[in-house]
PDB file of all heavy atoms in Angstrom:
ATOM      1  N   ALA A   1       0.821  -1.215   0.000  1.00 97.00           N
ATOM      2  CA  ALA A   1       0.000   0.000   0.000  1.00 97.00           C
ATOM      3  C   ALA A   1       0.846   1.252   0.000  1.00 97.00           C
ATOM      4  O   ALA A   1       1.872   1.339   0.686  1.00 97.00           O
ATOM      5  CB  ALA A   1      -0.923   0.000   1.219  1.00 97.00           C
ATOM      6  N   GLY A   2       0.398   2.247  -0.793  1.00 95.00           N
ATOM      7  CA  GLY A   2       0.952   3.580  -0.767  1.00 95.00           C
ATOM      8  C   GLY A   2       2.377   3.673  -1.263  1.00 95.00           C
ATOM      9  O   GLY A   2       2.858   2.871  -2.059  1.00 95.00           O
ATOM     10  N   GLY A   3       3.075   4.688  -0.771  1.00 94.00           N
ATOM     11  CA  GLY A   3       4.445   4.938  -1.174  1.00 94.00           C
ATOM     12  C   GLY A   3       4.532   6.010  -2.235  1.00 94.00           C
ATOM     13  O   GLY A   3       3.534   6.561  -2.704  1.00 94.00           O
ATOM     14  N   SER A   4       5.759   6.319  -2.608  1.00 90.00           N
ATOM     15  CA  SER A   4       6.008   7.263  -3.695  1.00 90.00           C
ATOM     16  C   SER A   4       6.620   6.490  -4.849  1.00 90.00           C
ATOM     17  O   SER A   4       7.146   5.398  -4.674  1.00 90.00           O
ATOM     18  CB  SER A   4       6.948   8.380  -3.236  1.00 90.00           C
ATOM     19  OG  SER A   4       8.188   7.824  -2.790  1.00 90.00           O
ATOM     20  N   GLY A   5       6.538   7.030  -6.029  1.00 71.00           N
ATOM     21  CA  GLY A   5       7.049   6.339  -7.203  1.00 71.00           C
ATOM     22  C   GLY A   5       6.997   7.237  -8.417  1.00 71.00           C
ATOM     23  O   GLY A   5       6.637   8.420  -8.326  1.00 71.00           O
ATOM     24  N   ALA A   6       7.315   6.631  -9.549  1.00 58.00           N
ATOM     25  CA  ALA A   6       7.360   7.408 -10.782  1.00 58.00           C
ATOM     26  C   ALA A   6       6.020   8.069 -11.074  1.00 58.00           C
ATOM     27  O   ALA A   6       5.958   9.189 -11.579  1.00 58.00           O
ATOM     28  CB  ALA A   6       7.778   6.506 -11.940  1.00 58.00           C
ATOM     29  N   ALA A   7       4.939   7.344 -10.776  1.00 55.00           N
ATOM     30  CA  ALA A   7       3.605   7.900 -11.016  1.00 55.00           C
ATOM     31  C   ALA A   7       2.954   8.322  -9.705  1.00 55.00           C
ATOM     32  O   ALA A   7       1.759   8.580  -9.647  1.00 55.00           O
ATOM     33  CB  ALA A   7       2.731   6.876 -11.723  1.00 55.00           C
ATOM     34  N   THR A   8       3.753   8.377  -8.611  1.00 59.00           N
ATOM     35  CA  THR A   8       3.278   8.655  -7.261  1.00 59.00           C
ATOM     36  C   THR A   8       2.223   7.627  -6.863  1.00 59.00           C
ATOM     37  O   THR A   8       1.037   7.767  -7.138  1.00 59.00           O
ATOM     38  CB  THR A   8       2.693  10.079  -7.135  1.00 59.00           C
ATOM     39  OG1 THR A   8       3.660  10.999  -7.620  1.00 59.00           O
ATOM     40  CG2 THR A   8       2.388  10.385  -5.690  1.00 59.00           C
ATOM     41  N   ALA A   9       2.687   6.575  -6.204  1.00 63.00           N
ATOM     42  CA  ALA A   9       1.807   5.473  -5.818  1.00 63.00           C
ATOM     43  C   ALA A   9       0.655   5.973  -4.959  1.00 63.00           C
ATOM     44  O   ALA A   9      -0.482   5.540  -5.092  1.00 63.00           O
ATOM     45  CB  ALA A   9       2.615   4.404  -5.078  1.00 63.00           C
ATOM     46  N   GLY A  10       0.966   6.906  -4.040  1.00 87.00           N
ATOM     47  CA  GLY A  10      -0.075   7.592  -3.291  1.00 87.00           C
ATOM     48  C   GLY A  10      -1.025   6.701  -2.542  1.00 87.00           C
ATOM     49  O   GLY A  10      -0.661   6.023  -1.595  1.00 87.00           O
ATOM     50  N   ALA A  11      -2.290   6.685  -2.974  1.00 93.00           N
ATOM     51  CA  ALA A  11      -3.336   5.964  -2.259  1.00 93.00           C
ATOM     52  C   ALA A  11      -3.555   4.547  -2.789  1.00 93.00           C
ATOM     53  O   ALA A  11      -4.312   3.786  -2.198  1.00 93.00           O
ATOM     54  CB  ALA A  11      -4.647   6.746  -2.349  1.00 93.00           C
ATOM     55  N   THR A  12      -2.910   4.164  -3.863  1.00 95.00           N
ATOM     56  CA  THR A  12      -3.208   2.869  -4.464  1.00 95.00           C
ATOM     57  C   THR A  12      -2.664   1.719  -3.630  1.00 95.00           C
ATOM     58  O   THR A  12      -1.736   1.873  -2.832  1.00 95.00           O
ATOM     59  CB  THR A  12      -2.621   2.770  -5.884  1.00 95.00           C
ATOM     60  OG1 THR A  12      -1.195   2.812  -5.807  1.00 95.00           O
ATOM     61  CG2 THR A  12      -3.126   3.907  -6.760  1.00 95.00           C
ATOM     62  N   ALA A  13      -3.251   0.543  -3.828  1.00 96.00           N
ATOM     63  CA  ALA A  13      -2.826  -0.669  -3.132  1.00 96.00           C
ATOM     64  C   ALA A  13      -3.009  -1.856  -4.056  1.00 96.00           C
ATOM     65  O   ALA A  13      -3.849  -1.836  -4.967  1.00 96.00           O
ATOM     66  CB  ALA A  13      -3.626  -0.856  -1.847  1.00 96.00           C
ATOM     67  N   GLU A  14      -2.238  -2.895  -3.835  1.00 97.00           N
ATOM     68  CA  GLU A  14      -2.361  -4.131  -4.607  1.00 97.00           C
ATOM     69  C   GLU A  14      -1.976  -5.315  -3.741  1.00 97.00           C
ATOM     70  O   GLU A  14      -1.364  -5.157  -2.679  1.00 97.00           O
ATOM     71  CB  GLU A  14      -1.530  -4.066  -5.884  1.00 97.00           C
ATOM     72  CG  GLU A  14      -0.108  -3.599  -5.733  1.00 97.00           C
ATOM     73  CD  GLU A  14       0.526  -3.244  -7.077  1.00 97.00           C
ATOM     74  OE1 GLU A  14       0.603  -4.138  -7.947  1.00 97.00           O
ATOM     75  OE2 GLU A  14       0.962  -2.080  -7.254  1.00 97.00           O
ATOM     76  N   VAL A  15      -2.364  -6.510  -4.202  1.00 97.00           N
ATOM     77  CA  VAL A  15      -2.185  -7.732  -3.414  1.00 97.00           C
ATOM     78  C   VAL A  15      -1.401  -8.750  -4.218  1.00 97.00           C
ATOM     79  O   VAL A  15      -1.699  -8.998  -5.398  1.00 97.00           O
ATOM     80  CB  VAL A  15      -3.556  -8.309  -3.003  1.00 97.00           C
ATOM     81  CG1 VAL A  15      -3.382  -9.665  -2.316  1.00 97.00           C
ATOM     82  CG2 VAL A  15      -4.279  -7.344  -2.066  1.00 97.00           C
ATOM     83  N   TYR A  16      -0.403  -9.351  -3.579  1.00 95.00           N
ATOM     84  CA  TYR A  16       0.406 -10.410  -4.199  1.00 95.00           C
ATOM     85  C   TYR A  16      -0.084 -11.770  -3.712  1.00 95.00           C
ATOM     86  O   TYR A  16      -0.294 -11.977  -2.511  1.00 95.00           O
ATOM     87  CB  TYR A  16       1.874 -10.238  -3.845  1.00 95.00           C
ATOM     88  CG  TYR A  16       2.757 -11.361  -4.349  1.00 95.00           C
ATOM     89  CD1 TYR A  16       3.122 -11.438  -5.692  1.00 95.00           C
ATOM     90  CD2 TYR A  16       3.224 -12.346  -3.481  1.00 95.00           C
ATOM     91  CE1 TYR A  16       3.922 -12.469  -6.158  1.00 95.00           C
ATOM     92  CE2 TYR A  16       4.033 -13.381  -3.943  1.00 95.00           C
ATOM     93  CZ  TYR A  16       4.377 -13.433  -5.278  1.00 95.00           C
ATOM     94  OH  TYR A  16       5.170 -14.454  -5.743  1.00 95.00           O
ATOM     95  N   ASP A  17      -0.287 -12.686  -4.655  1.00 91.00           N
ATOM     96  CA  ASP A  17      -0.734 -14.038  -4.346  1.00 91.00           C
ATOM     97  C   ASP A  17       0.429 -15.005  -4.566  1.00 91.00           C
ATOM     98  O   ASP A  17       0.801 -15.282  -5.710  1.00 91.00           O
ATOM     99  CB  ASP A  17      -1.913 -14.423  -5.238  1.00 91.00           C
ATOM    100  CG  ASP A  17      -2.484 -15.791  -4.892  1.00 91.00           C
ATOM    101  OD1 ASP A  17      -1.885 -16.504  -4.058  1.00 91.00           O
ATOM    102  OD2 ASP A  17      -3.528 -16.162  -5.462  1.00 91.00           O
ATOM    103  N   PRO A  18       1.037 -15.537  -3.491  1.00 87.00           N
ATOM    104  CA  PRO A  18       2.174 -16.449  -3.672  1.00 87.00           C
ATOM    105  C   PRO A  18       1.827 -17.710  -4.448  1.00 87.00           C
ATOM    106  O   PRO A  18       2.692 -18.305  -5.098  1.00 87.00           O
ATOM    107  CB  PRO A  18       2.575 -16.795  -2.229  1.00 87.00           C
ATOM    108  CG  PRO A  18       2.037 -15.686  -1.395  1.00 87.00           C
ATOM    109  CD  PRO A  18       0.761 -15.285  -2.067  1.00 87.00           C
ATOM    110  N   ALA A  19       0.557 -18.140  -4.391  1.00 80.00           N
ATOM    111  CA  ALA A  19       0.160 -19.371  -5.077  1.00 80.00           C
ATOM    112  C   ALA A  19       0.281 -19.233  -6.587  1.00 80.00           C
ATOM    113  O   ALA A  19       0.684 -20.169  -7.283  1.00 80.00           O
ATOM    114  CB  ALA A  19      -1.269 -19.758  -4.692  1.00 80.00           C
ATOM    115  N   SER A  20      -0.047 -18.050  -7.104  1.00 84.00           N
ATOM    116  CA  SER A  20      -0.001 -17.828  -8.554  1.00 84.00           C
ATOM    117  C   SER A  20       1.170 -16.951  -8.986  1.00 84.00           C
ATOM    118  O   SER A  20       1.481 -16.868 -10.176  1.00 84.00           O
ATOM    119  CB  SER A  20      -1.305 -17.184  -9.025  1.00 84.00           C
ATOM    120  OG  SER A  20      -1.485 -15.914  -8.414  1.00 84.00           O
ATOM    121  N   GLY A  21       1.815 -16.290  -7.998  1.00 87.00           N
ATOM    122  CA  GLY A  21       2.912 -15.388  -8.334  1.00 87.00           C
ATOM    123  C   GLY A  21       2.462 -14.137  -9.057  1.00 87.00           C
ATOM    124  O   GLY A  21       3.231 -13.520  -9.793  1.00 87.00           O
ATOM    125  N   THR A  22       1.198 -13.727  -8.846  1.00 91.00           N
ATOM    126  CA  THR A  22       0.638 -12.581  -9.564  1.00 91.00           C
ATOM    127  C   THR A  22       0.175 -11.492  -8.605  1.00 91.00           C
ATOM    128  O   THR A  22      -0.080 -11.733  -7.421  1.00 91.00           O
ATOM    129  CB  THR A  22      -0.552 -13.015 -10.432  1.00 91.00           C
ATOM    130  OG1 THR A  22      -1.552 -13.615  -9.596  1.00 91.00           O
ATOM    131  CG2 THR A  22      -0.106 -14.019 -11.483  1.00 91.00           C
ATOM    132  N   TRP A  23       0.053 -10.274  -9.160  1.00 96.00           N
ATOM    133  CA  TRP A  23      -0.437  -9.112  -8.430  1.00 96.00           C
ATOM    134  C   TRP A  23      -1.829  -8.746  -8.925  1.00 96.00           C
ATOM    135  O   TRP A  23      -2.125  -8.896 -10.103  1.00 96.00           O
ATOM    136  CB  TRP A  23       0.489  -7.921  -8.639  1.00 96.00           C
ATOM    137  CG  TRP A  23       1.875  -8.107  -8.118  1.00 96.00           C
ATOM    138  CD1 TRP A  23       2.930  -8.683  -8.759  1.00 96.00           C
ATOM    139  CD2 TRP A  23       2.365  -7.708  -6.836  1.00 96.00           C
ATOM    140  NE1 TRP A  23       4.042  -8.670  -7.957  1.00 96.00           N
ATOM    141  CE2 TRP A  23       3.732  -8.078  -6.776  1.00 96.00           C
ATOM    142  CE3 TRP A  23       1.786  -7.072  -5.730  1.00 96.00           C
ATOM    143  CZ2 TRP A  23       4.511  -7.821  -5.652  1.00 96.00           C
ATOM    144  CZ3 TRP A  23       2.571  -6.819  -4.622  1.00 96.00           C
ATOM    145  CH2 TRP A  23       3.915  -7.192  -4.579  1.00 96.00           C
ATOM    146  N   SER A  24      -2.662  -8.239  -8.035  1.00 95.00           N
ATOM    147  CA  SER A  24      -3.982  -7.750  -8.433  1.00 95.00           C
ATOM    148  C   SER A  24      -4.294  -6.481  -7.653  1.00 95.00           C
ATOM    149  O   SER A  24      -3.911  -6.344  -6.479  1.00 95.00           O
ATOM    150  CB  SER A  24      -5.059  -8.810  -8.177  1.00 95.00           C
ATOM    151  OG  SER A  24      -5.105  -9.169  -6.808  1.00 95.00           O
ATOM    152  N   SER A  25      -4.990  -5.562  -8.297  1.00 95.00           N
ATOM    153  CA  SER A  25      -5.351  -4.310  -7.642  1.00 95.00           C
ATOM    154  C   SER A  25      -6.414  -4.545  -6.587  1.00 95.00           C
ATOM    155  O   SER A  25      -7.238  -5.457  -6.696  1.00 95.00           O
ATOM    156  CB  SER A  25      -5.864  -3.301  -8.670  1.00 95.00           C
ATOM    157  OG  SER A  25      -4.840  -2.954  -9.580  1.00 95.00           O
ATOM    158  N   THR A  26      -6.396  -3.742  -5.555  1.00 97.00           N
ATOM    159  CA  THR A  26      -7.440  -3.756  -4.546  1.00 97.00           C
ATOM    160  C   THR A  26      -7.846  -2.315  -4.284  1.00 97.00           C
ATOM    161  O   THR A  26      -7.328  -1.397  -4.927  1.00 97.00           O
ATOM    162  CB  THR A  26      -6.971  -4.465  -3.260  1.00 97.00           C
ATOM    163  OG1 THR A  26      -8.090  -4.654  -2.380  1.00 97.00           O
ATOM    164  CG2 THR A  26      -5.875  -3.695  -2.551  1.00 97.00           C
ATOM    165  N   GLY A  27      -8.790  -2.110  -3.380  1.00 96.00           N
ATOM    166  CA  GLY A  27      -9.289  -0.766  -3.139  1.00 96.00           C
ATOM    167  C   GLY A  27      -8.188   0.217  -2.761  1.00 96.00           C
ATOM    168  O   GLY A  27      -7.185  -0.149  -2.145  1.00 96.00           O
ATOM    169  N   SER A  28      -8.367   1.489  -3.120  1.00 96.00           N
ATOM    170  CA  SER A  28      -7.404   2.529  -2.783  1.00 96.00           C
ATOM    171  C   SER A  28      -7.659   3.078  -1.388  1.00 96.00           C
ATOM    172  O   SER A  28      -8.802   3.079  -0.893  1.00 96.00           O
ATOM    173  CB  SER A  28      -7.480   3.679  -3.795  1.00 96.00           C
ATOM    174  OG  SER A  28      -7.001   3.264  -5.057  1.00 96.00           O
ATOM    175  N   MET A  29      -6.600   3.535  -0.752  1.00 96.00           N
ATOM    176  CA  MET A  29      -6.719   4.116   0.576  1.00 96.00           C
ATOM    177  C   MET A  29      -7.511   5.422   0.530  1.00 96.00           C
ATOM    178  O   MET A  29      -7.663   6.044  -0.515  1.00 96.00           O
ATOM    179  CB  MET A  29      -5.332   4.357   1.176  1.00 96.00           C
ATOM    180  CG  MET A  29      -4.555   3.078   1.464  1.00 96.00           C
ATOM    181  SD  MET A  29      -2.993   3.369   2.356  1.00 96.00           S
ATOM    182  CE  MET A  29      -2.033   4.159   1.055  1.00 96.00           C
ATOM    183  N   VAL A  30      -7.993   5.828   1.699  1.00 95.00           N
ATOM    184  CA  VAL A  30      -8.698   7.099   1.809  1.00 95.00           C
ATOM    185  C   VAL A  30      -7.727   8.246   1.546  1.00 95.00           C
ATOM    186  O   VAL A  30      -8.072   9.253   0.929  1.00 95.00           O
ATOM    187  CB  VAL A  30      -9.333   7.243   3.206  1.00 95.00           C
ATOM    188  CG1 VAL A  30     -10.032   8.594   3.346  1.00 95.00           C
ATOM    189  CG2 VAL A  30     -10.306   6.095   3.469  1.00 95.00           C
ATOM    190  N   TRP A  31      -6.475   8.088   2.006  1.00 94.00           N
ATOM    191  CA  TRP A  31      -5.439   9.096   1.857  1.00 94.00           C
ATOM    192  C   TRP A  31      -4.249   8.511   1.097  1.00 94.00           C
ATOM    193  O   TRP A  31      -3.909   7.350   1.266  1.00 94.00           O
ATOM    194  CB  TRP A  31      -4.937   9.563   3.226  1.00 94.00           C
ATOM    195  CG  TRP A  31      -5.921  10.353   4.027  1.00 94.00           C
ATOM    196  CD1 TRP A  31      -6.853   9.855   4.879  1.00 94.00           C
ATOM    197  CD2 TRP A  31      -6.050  11.769   4.059  1.00 94.00           C
ATOM    198  NE1 TRP A  31      -7.569  10.876   5.455  1.00 94.00           N
ATOM    199  CE2 TRP A  31      -7.093  12.067   4.966  1.00 94.00           C
ATOM    200  CE3 TRP A  31      -5.399  12.817   3.419  1.00 94.00           C
ATOM    201  CZ2 TRP A  31      -7.491  13.373   5.243  1.00 94.00           C
ATOM    202  CZ3 TRP A  31      -5.786  14.116   3.704  1.00 94.00           C
ATOM    203  CH2 TRP A  31      -6.827  14.390   4.601  1.00 94.00           C
ATOM    204  N   GLY A  32      -3.599   9.330   0.292  1.00 93.00           N
ATOM    205  CA  GLY A  32      -2.308   8.952  -0.255  1.00 93.00           C
ATOM    206  C   GLY A  32      -1.256   9.044   0.844  1.00 93.00           C
ATOM    207  O   GLY A  32      -1.275   9.986   1.639  1.00 93.00           O
ATOM    208  N   ARG A  33      -0.341   8.065   0.904  1.00 94.00           N
ATOM    209  CA  ARG A  33       0.613   8.035   2.013  1.00 94.00           C
ATOM    210  C   ARG A  33       1.982   7.521   1.569  1.00 94.00           C
ATOM    211  O   ARG A  33       2.084   6.691   0.670  1.00 94.00           O
ATOM    212  CB  ARG A  33       0.124   7.093   3.130  1.00 94.00           C
ATOM    213  CG  ARG A  33      -1.214   7.413   3.731  1.00 94.00           C
ATOM    214  CD  ARG A  33      -1.625   6.315   4.705  1.00 94.00           C
ATOM    215  NE  ARG A  33      -2.975   6.502   5.201  1.00 94.00           N
ATOM    216  CZ  ARG A  33      -3.279   7.184   6.308  1.00 94.00           C
ATOM    217  NH1 ARG A  33      -2.319   7.747   7.019  1.00 94.00           N
ATOM    218  NH2 ARG A  33      -4.541   7.306   6.702  1.00 94.00           N
ATOM    219  N   TYR A  34       3.007   7.976   2.260  1.00 93.00           N
ATOM    220  CA  TYR A  34       4.315   7.332   2.231  1.00 93.00           C
ATOM    221  C   TYR A  34       5.005   7.606   3.564  1.00 93.00           C
ATOM    222  O   TYR A  34       4.618   8.499   4.304  1.00 93.00           O
ATOM    223  CB  TYR A  34       5.164   7.803   1.048  1.00 93.00           C
ATOM    224  CG  TYR A  34       5.635   9.233   1.075  1.00 93.00           C
ATOM    225  CD1 TYR A  34       6.941   9.548   1.421  1.00 93.00           C
ATOM    226  CD2 TYR A  34       4.774  10.275   0.718  1.00 93.00           C
ATOM    227  CE1 TYR A  34       7.390  10.856   1.428  1.00 93.00           C
ATOM    228  CE2 TYR A  34       5.213  11.578   0.717  1.00 93.00           C
ATOM    229  CZ  TYR A  34       6.524  11.877   1.079  1.00 93.00           C
ATOM    230  OH  TYR A  34       6.950  13.173   1.095  1.00 93.00           O
ATOM    231  N   MET A  35       5.987   6.769   3.897  1.00 94.00           N
ATOM    232  CA  MET A  35       6.633   6.801   5.210  1.00 94.00           C
ATOM    233  C   MET A  35       5.602   6.575   6.317  1.00 94.00           C
ATOM    234  O   MET A  35       5.698   7.132   7.413  1.00 94.00           O
ATOM    235  CB  MET A  35       7.401   8.103   5.431  1.00 94.00           C
ATOM    236  CG  MET A  35       8.551   8.300   4.458  1.00 94.00           C
ATOM    237  SD  MET A  35       9.495   9.816   4.715  1.00 94.00           S
ATOM    238  CE  MET A  35      10.320   9.421   6.265  1.00 94.00           C
ATOM    239  N   HIS A  36       4.620   5.732   6.041  1.00 96.00           N
ATOM    240  CA  HIS A  36       3.590   5.360   6.996  1.00 96.00           C
ATOM    241  C   HIS A  36       3.921   3.989   7.578  1.00 96.00           C
ATOM    242  O   HIS A  36       4.944   3.396   7.258  1.00 96.00           O
ATOM    243  CB  HIS A  36       2.223   5.346   6.317  1.00 96.00           C
ATOM    244  CG  HIS A  36       2.175   4.498   5.077  1.00 96.00           C
ATOM    245  ND1 HIS A  36       2.809   4.854   3.900  1.00 96.00           N
ATOM    246  CD2 HIS A  36       1.598   3.292   4.825  1.00 96.00           C
ATOM    247  CE1 HIS A  36       2.619   3.924   2.977  1.00 96.00           C
ATOM    248  NE2 HIS A  36       1.897   2.959   3.518  1.00 96.00           N
ATOM    249  N   THR A  37       3.047   3.457   8.430  1.00 97.00           N
ATOM    250  CA  THR A  37       3.177   2.093   8.938  1.00 97.00           C
ATOM    251  C   THR A  37       1.893   1.322   8.666  1.00 97.00           C
ATOM    252  O   THR A  37       0.811   1.904   8.538  1.00 97.00           O
ATOM    253  CB  THR A  37       3.460   2.067  10.450  1.00 97.00           C
ATOM    254  OG1 THR A  37       2.412   2.767  11.145  1.00 97.00           O
ATOM    255  CG2 THR A  37       4.808   2.698  10.777  1.00 97.00           C
ATOM    256  N   ALA A  38       2.021   0.002   8.580  1.00 97.00           N
ATOM    257  CA  ALA A  38       0.866  -0.885   8.395  1.00 97.00           C
ATOM    258  C   ALA A  38       0.994  -2.023   9.392  1.00 97.00           C
ATOM    259  O   ALA A  38       2.051  -2.662   9.477  1.00 97.00           O
ATOM    260  CB  ALA A  38       0.819  -1.425   6.972  1.00 97.00           C
TER     261      ALA A  38
END
């Protein structure tokens, strides 16, 4: 979740599935964040 990046990751989040080795998008955070904790 979150972070900064080339496109500013901001509020976006995604989920990694070890069984398939793939990523999928999930709901975005209420706030864009970086240097946060989870």
Side-chain angles (χ1 to χ4, degrees):
S4 59
T8 307
T12 65
E14 48 194 300
V15 174
Y16 175 76
D17 184 353
S20 62
T22 58
W23 297 86
S24 59
S25 296
T26 189
S28 291
M29 294 187 289
V30 178
W31 291 88
R33 302 174 186 269
Y34 68 103
M35 297 181 70
H36 53 289
T37 57

